[in-house]
């Protein structure tokens, strides 16, 4: 039986422990003001965005990420935003980013998920396909100025964003052909490397054409909403009336009856490659600005998708501000190259390839070009 004397002994022992080993008082260190602590170049190197850009972003989302109260030394909205940008900029583990502002890993994880989701909701404001006549005309002119390819409204491709294994029965569908887990992200960009459309929900094993076939942007073209406009893409996509791809082995597909010369096909291919190169360059800028896209996102799938879209929004905002691309280390450059998937050009193009109605129009255009 447990009597009163045992209870009193326990109380005495607990009191003695408190006297001899007092509980350590919690110390709240003041968090630094990063806006004043760092020079402009130091701030840019750490957060990948300038102070002006971060202030602009904070004005957009500050109220949505602030704590309901400021008691108990809650993390301020400014530090939440900077913590998230630091995570994007370094690709470090959350515990390292948490130490950057003096919080626990679990708190850092919740903050990154919250801020990423809020930034991703700005997608419709900063990522949009040209719709009015003036915007469409400007985009086409910008593309035409690159390599004289007419009617181009966007360059389309897919890139892989490295993620951790999602676990579960369907984890292997996220393993791509290079052997690591990823999300296959389709984007369409303009001539200035800004992202016009993004699809970031398909696992790494998905084929590029599958993503496009199930995308909303394809519906726009199928419904003829984008009249007299085309996309340029690589061999990962099927040739369509509104998607121009390369003609493989041009010297073996010539048909004398078509009236199309090998020179015209060479001109067509060269112009298309130079025009389509904008989307590949956009991936380089995007991943150098936010290396986490190449080094690996170590959160769950839903949060990974939010981070991908959020960094795309930030990429466009940075383009609007005309910011340069940050330099990265050799290790990050290697990670970027690993996530760069280039589709080999299809050398089995049939003789009828050049007879595709719309493609033939462009081949005749280049045949007549000086």
């Amino acid at each position: 039986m447990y009597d009163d004397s045992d209870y009193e002994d326990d109380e005495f022992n607990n009191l003695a422990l408190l006297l001899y080993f007092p509980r350590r008082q919690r110390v709240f260190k003041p968090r630094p003001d990063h806006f004043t602590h760092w020079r402009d170049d130091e701030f840019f190197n750490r957060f990948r965005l300038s102070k002006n850009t971060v202030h602009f972003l904070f004005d957009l989302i500050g109220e949505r990420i602030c704590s309901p109260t400021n008691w108990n030394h809650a993390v301020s909205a400014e530090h939440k935003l900077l913590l998230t940008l630091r995570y994007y900029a370094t690709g470090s583990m959350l515990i390292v980013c948490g130490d950057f502002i003096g919080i626990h890993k679990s708190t850092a994880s919740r903050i990154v998920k919250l801020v990423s989701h809020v930034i991703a909701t700005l997608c419709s404001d900063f990522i949009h396909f040209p719709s009015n006549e003036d915007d469409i005309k400007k985009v086409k002119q910008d593309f035409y100025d690159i390599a004289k390819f007419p009617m181009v409204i966007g360059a389309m491709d897919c890139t892989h964003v490295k993620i951790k294994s999602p676990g579960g029965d369907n984890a292997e569908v996220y393993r791509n052909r290079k052997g690591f887990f990823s999300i296959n992200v389709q984007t369409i960009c303009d001539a200035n490397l800004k992202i016009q459309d993004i699809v970031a929900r398909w696992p790494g094993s998905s084929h590029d054409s599958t993503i496009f076939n199930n995308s909303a942007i394809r519906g726009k073209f199928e419904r003829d909403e984008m009249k007299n406009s085309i996309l340029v893409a690589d061999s990962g996509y099927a040739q369509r009336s509104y998607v121009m791809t390369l003609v493989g082995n041009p010297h073996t597909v010539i048909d004398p009856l078509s009236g199309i010369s090998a020179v015209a096909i060479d001109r067509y291919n060269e112009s298309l490659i130079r025009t389509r190169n904008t989307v590949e360059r956009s991936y380089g800028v995007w991943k150098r600005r936010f290396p986490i896209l190449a080094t690996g996102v170590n959160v769950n799938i839903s949060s990974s998708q939010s981070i991908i879209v959020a960094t795309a929004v930030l990429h466009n905002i940075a383009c609007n501000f005309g910011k340069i691309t940050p330099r990265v280390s050799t290790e990050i450059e290697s990670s970027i190259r690993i996530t760069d998937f280039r589709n080999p050009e299809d050398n089995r193009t049939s003789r009828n390839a050049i007879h595709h109605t719309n493609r033939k129009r462009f081949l005749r255009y280049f045949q007549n070009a000086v």
Side-chain angles (χ1 to χ4, degrees), residues 158-164 166 173-176 180-186 198-206 208 211 286-287 293 297 299-309 339 341:
C158 284
T159 189
H160 286 256
V161 173
K162 191 175 182 180
I163 61 171
K164 70 175 184 178
V173 301
Y174 286 89
R175 191 184 296 277
N176 57 51
F180 61 88
F181 295 97
S182 67
I183 293 176
N184 195 2
V185 182
Q186 176 183 276
I198 183 169
V199 180
R201 64 177 182 272
W202 289 82
S205 63
S206 303
D208 295 0
I211 299 175
W286 186 21
K287 291 182 179 181
L293 300 173
V297 184
V299 294
N300 60 38
I301 291 297
S302 176
S303 297
S304 297
Q305 293 169 340
S306 294
I307 288 171
I308 293 169
V309 176
T339 59
F341 283 51

Side-chain angles (χ1 to χ4, degrees), residues 30-295:
R31 297 189 176 99
D33 182 353
H34 293 287
F35 288 99
T36 58
H37 182 74
W38 305 108
R39 298 194 312 265
D40 289 349
D41 60 324
E42 294 173 331
F43 186 94
F44 181 78
N45 288 335
R46 283 164 175 77
F47 302 105
R48 289 304 200 266
L49 297 175
S50 68
K51 293 180 181 181
N52 289 339
T53 308
V54 175
H55 281 307
F56 170 79
L57 184 61
F58 182 75
D59 290 340
L60 293 177
I61 67 170
E63 293 183 359
R64 299 171 60 185
I65 63 174
C66 66
S67 302
T69 60
N70 199 32
W71 66 280
N72 198 24
H73 299 270
V75 182
S76 68
E78 293 93 337
H79 280 98
K80 288 181 181 179
L81 177 57
L82 291 176
L83 166 68
T84 304
L85 293 177
R86 183 64 176 167
Y87 179 61
Y88 297 166
T90 61
S92 299
M93 294 184 295
L94 286 166
I95 189 172
V96 176
C97 294
D99 290 344
F100 187 69
I101 62 171
I103 61 175
H104 191 266
K105 170 187 174 182
S106 59
T107 304
S109 176
R110 290 194 297 270
I111 289 174
V112 168
K113 291 177 182 178
L114 168 65
V115 177
S116 297
H117 173 74
V118 172
I119 296 176
T121 61
L122 301 176
C123 181
S124 59
D125 296 325
F126 293 97
I127 300 178
H128 44 76
F129 211 66
S131 55
N132 65 64
E133 186 176 346
D134 290 338
D135 289 344
I136 293 174
K137 184 177 180 180
K138 182 181 185 308
V139 171
K140 288 182 178 180
Q141 184 62 50
D142 289 343
F143 272 117
Y144 184 80
D145 291 341
I146 295 174
K148 310 305 181 190
F149 207 109
M151 297 171 56
V152 178
I153 199 171
M156 177 171 62
D157 204 352
C158 284
T159 189
H160 286 256
V161 173
K162 191 175 182 180
I163 61 171
K164 70 175 184 178
S165 172
D169 297 334
N170 297 321
E172 285 303 309
V173 301
Y174 286 89
R175 191 184 296 277
N176 57 51
R177 67 175 184 260
K178 286 192 177 181
F180 61 88
F181 295 97
S182 67
I183 293 176
N184 195 2
V185 182
Q186 176 183 276
T187 66
I188 301 174
C189 81
D190 64 15
N192 299 309
L193 312 187
K194 288 181 61 177
I195 297 172
Q196 299 173 309
D197 184 75
I198 183 169
V199 180
R201 64 177 182 272
W202 289 82
S205 63
S206 303
H207 195 275
D208 295 0
S209 62
T210 301
I211 299 175
F212 178 67
N213 289 341
N214 290 275
S215 66
I217 201 68
R218 180 195 173 209
K220 282 181 174 289
F221 284 92
E222 290 286 351
R223 294 188 297 269
D224 202 25
E225 294 179 14
M226 309 304 300
K227 298 181 183 297
N228 297 318
S229 299
I230 62 164
L231 301 171
V232 289
D234 65 11
S235 61
Y237 296 89
Q239 169 70 34
R240 301 174 185 271
S241 60
Y242 49 84
V243 178
M244 293 295 114
T245 61
L246 292 181
V247 176
N249 281 341
H251 294 279
T252 65
V253 298
I254 299 300
D255 183 348
L257 298 179
S258 69
I260 303 298
S261 67
V263 173
I265 298 177
D266 287 339
R267 289 174 178 171
Y268 166 91
N269 281 347
E270 181 183 355
S271 180
L272 189 143
I273 289 171
R274 290 174 57 192
T275 305
R276 180 174 57 82
N277 187 50
T278 54
V279 69
E280 295 175 358
R281 288 168 51 212
S282 75
Y283 292 147
V285 173
W286 186 21
K287 291 182 179 181
R288 287 178 181 85
R289 181 167 279 133
F290 303 111
I292 191 174
L293 300 173
T295 58

